[in-house]
Amino acid sequence: DDSACRREKLGPPLGQGSAMPSYLADFEAEYLRLGPQPFLKTYPWPVLVVTGFAGDLGDNTSKSGTMVATIGSAILQATSLDGRVFPVVKGHNSAPGPVSIGRTSDNDLAIPEYTVSTHHCLLALVDGEPRLTDMGATNGTLVDSVRLMPRKPCRLKGGEIVCMGRLNLLFHLPQGFAEYLRQRTGAIPR
């Protein structure tokens, strides 16, 4: 039973005023500048990388103000969120426990997209494995095109496409993200 499992903290909290890269190109430059091992020591967190949009906005909104998205054929749009990298870490003054993900700033990870619910999902380490739990989000949460049941944790291994609202996000554990950057930059391992 996942609820009875010991919950571990996901990485050290980000300090206020940290100069954290925000976009994939910034992380690629950091990877090339630092090399693989120093990069992993500097950025030891799982990440969600925005890879584009899927679906269309509906004409209505939910009671919480979340725009309703119709998930259909993938519609990729160039936006300010495309290529954005979100480190999955607890906020500076957050209580221990899972990382809360949602649209508003009271989450550990705030994603400024109106199809993401106010409190969309949680990511926790349970026995060393990341578990994603949809919190009853208006547009739901999909992992590799499979809709999660609300409040039922889903085990992640890294490399999955997580869909929140109309956002497609690539989930990576730290080592997988470093390998992803190595492949994207064509860097030769040191």
Side-chain angles (χ1 to χ4, degrees), residues 24-141:
L24 201 48
D26 302 327
F27 278 96
E28 289 170 350
E30 277 290 278
Y31 181 83
L32 290 172
R33 184 179 73 80
L34 295 172
Q37 291 310 314
F39 179 87
L40 283 168
K41 286 181 181 170
T42 306
Y43 305 104
W45 312 286
V47 296
L48 287 166
V49 181
V50 178
T51 60
F53 285 112
D56 298 311
L57 290 179
D59 292 333
N60 56 350
T61 59
S62 71
K63 291 177 188 173
S64 67
T66 302
M67 294 290 294
V68 177
T70 303
I71 305 300
S73 61
I75 300 169
L76 299 180
Q77 301 175 3
T79 70
S80 61
L81 286 178
D82 199 26
R84 180 78 191 266
V85 177
F86 293 98
V88 182
V89 294
K90 294 295 291 176
H92 182 67
N93 294 315
S94 295
V99 172
S100 62
I101 303 170
R103 185 179 68 237
T104 57
S105 63
D106 61 334
N107 288 284
D108 296 308
L109 195 167
I111 300 175
E113 162 56 34
Y114 283 99
T115 60
V116 172
S117 288
T118 304
H119 298 103
H120 201 99
C121 58
L122 298 173
L123 188 70
L125 280 181
V126 180
D127 295 331
E129 294 181 329
R131 308 276 173 101
L132 186 68
T133 305
D134 179 87
M135 297 307 293
T138 300
N139 290 311
T141 306

